[in-house]
Amino acid sequence: MPKNIKPEDAEKELREKTKKVTEDDIRKVLNREDEIEKKVRGEGPLKEYIDAVKTMFSLLKAYWSGEYREIPWLTIAAIVAALLYVFSPIDLIPDFIPILGLVDDAFVIAACLKLVKQDLADFEAWQASSRN
């Protein structure tokens, strides 16, 4: 277990996990939405990402239902990989270590957001236009 995790470590972990995402993983993440959001909403470094995580879930639901498909698979896979990573208590730094155990989760979410920023913005624009 690395003592000083860096954003680069999180990016590498995200890239590796993204390659392995399946449609079954989308289902798993959607079924764990409440648990993942609760973890992100809690204390610590993940809290600042709650709005982004909610948008990620909205995007995944719209993708899963077929309502929104104007999105590269890589974006879907990165989001799913990041959310699965947050859900998993055993990762680069185990989550049972107070505060520090969530730093790697926050880095993975940040790395994901960096990767999918434009696709999330496009989805939010689509979402806003479809409400009108």
Side-chain angles (χ1 to χ4, degrees), residues 61-94:
K61 287 179 205 172
Y63 177 84
W64 190 250
S65 72
E67 185 180 2
Y68 184 76
R69 289 293 180 136
E70 299 300 314
I71 191 92
W73 172 253
L74 179 62
T75 296
I76 295 298
I79 290 170
V80 169
L83 293 173
L84 282 174
Y85 188 90
V86 167
F87 180 70
S88 175
I90 305 298
D91 40 42
L92 290 175
I93 302 175

Side-chain angles (χ1 to χ4, degrees), residues 22-67:
T22 65
E23 288 208 354
D24 190 47
D25 292 324
I26 299 172
R27 189 177 305 112
K28 284 180 197 173
V29 164
L30 290 174
N31 288 337
R32 302 288 189 189
E33 179 179 8
D34 291 339
E35 295 165 83
I36 294 168
E37 282 191 9
K38 182 178 178 185
K39 186 174 178 181
V40 173
R41 196 179 285 115
E43 295 299 317
L46 281 173
K47 255 173 97 166
E48 73 180 270
Y49 296 109
I50 188 61
D51 291 336
V53 167
K54 286 180 178 186
T55 301
M56 290 176 178
F57 273 111
S58 292
L59 171 57
L60 289 178
K61 287 179 205 172
Y63 177 84
W64 190 250
S65 72
E67 185 180 2

